[in-house]
Amino acid sequence: MARSRAKDYDDKRLSMLHRSAKLFAASGYVGTSMNTIADACGVSKALLYHYYPDKEAILFDILSSHLAKLVAAARKASAQAGDPVARFRTIVATLLELYRHADAEHQVQISSLKLLPKDKQQPLLASERILVGLMSDALVAAVPAAKQKRVLKPLTMSVFGMLNWHYMWFREGGPMTRAEYAGFVAQLVLAGADDAAAATRPRGKAKSAGRSRQAELL
């Protein structure tokens, strides 16, 4: 007979994932052992193995869960918002709010996704592409300049850059609240994208030796 799951199984699993993400962010995925994870979670190594067969499975679940939340929230924000500008602003604010308690998960996404085997990277990269697509669609609707093909990728990735790297400097209780910074980012893009695009002249295509992860997202 298969062993039944405890009622608090999912709560414990999510707690383990969050603690593991903090360890991976602080010490690196390679530098963190299953023993270290078990100690940080306050469980035996045997119990940890009841949840996850290895460290790779933990990393995949951290990233899969994190990206699923971001995609679901962005889709909901996109569907609920009214006019195109409000839609863009809502997506920006929603993503930044989700990052509030997920700095570690986000750092792990940036630094460690590439350490997974290719077959496990693919569904995660697919989720990233969906998220980028939602932002890209919102930009095209809200910002006339974004309709230019040569502008769309730089503009979209610039927005994500402002949001994704905020953890490097943003501190709660500082001169700007999280909601104010979200509004700041949105207004910066809405007010400046047209002029920036007009000042950028098309150039011939440069040859590239390969495609980066960012290039594959759009």
Side-chain angles (χ1 to χ4, degrees):
M1 181 180 293
R3 181 176 177 180
S4 60
R5 289 186 175 183
K7 292 182 179 180
D8 61 349
Y9 180 91
D10 286 332
D11 290 338
K12 285 184 176 179
R13 181 182 67 83
L14 291 175
S15 177
M16 287 179 180
L17 290 179
H18 187 57
R19 289 177 182 271
S20 297
K22 287 187 172 182
L23 288 172
F24 292 160
S27 303
Y29 172 71
V30 175
T32 304
S33 67
M34 290 291 277
N35 280 331
T36 304
I37 294 172
D39 290 342
C41 293
V43 300
S44 67
K45 194 173 179 181
L47 181 59
L48 179 61
Y49 277 114
H50 173 61
Y51 283 81
Y52 294 101
D54 51 38
K55 191 170 64 171
E56 183 180 290
I58 295 176
L59 175 59
F60 179 81
D61 205 6
I62 288 171
L63 298 181
S64 180
S65 299
H66 178 58
L67 286 166
K69 288 179 183 177
L70 296 180
V71 169
R75 277 176 166 161
K76 183 177 180 181
S78 180
Q80 290 182 340
D83 63 86
V85 170
R87 175 186 172 196
F88 171 64
R89 287 183 178 277
T90 302
I91 291 175
V92 168
T94 297
L95 291 179
L96 196 62
E97 179 59 32
L98 280 176
Y99 291 166
R100 181 186 292 272
H101 301 297
D103 283 351
E105 287 81 354
H106 190 62
Q107 290 179 55
V108 173
Q109 178 193 349
I110 294 171
S111 65
S112 301
L113 188 153
K114 61 183 178 290
L115 300 179
L116 287 168
K118 293 294 184 182
D119 63 319
K120 289 191 175 180
Q121 288 185 34
Q122 293 310 309
L124 302 176
L125 292 172
S127 293
E128 286 188 342
R129 283 191 289 271
I130 292 171
L131 190 61
V132 169
L134 289 166
M135 182 69 78
S136 177
D137 289 346
L139 280 167
V140 167
V143 182
K147 295 177 181 179
Q148 302 177 48
K149 186 176 181 180
R150 66 186 178 86
V151 170
L152 183 56
K153 184 191 297 183
L155 184 59
T156 302
M157 301 317 293
S158 293
V159 174
F160 276 109
M162 287 187 279
L163 300 180
N164 292 355
W165 294 95
H166 84 289
Y167 73 88
M168 296 291 290
W169 61 269
F170 183 86
R171 296 294 179 269
E172 301 291 349
M176 189 177 286
T177 66
R178 185 171 293 268
E180 286 172 340
Y181 179 60
F184 178 84
V185 169
Q187 187 58 33
L188 192 64
V189 173
L190 293 169
D194 285 312
D195 288 342
T200 305
R201 295 289 178 264
R203 295 180 180 180
K205 281 190 175 181
K207 292 183 179 180
S208 175
R211 288 172 60 82
S212 67
R213 175 173 157 198
Q214 286 76 15
E216 292 176 351
L217 294 177
L218 280 173

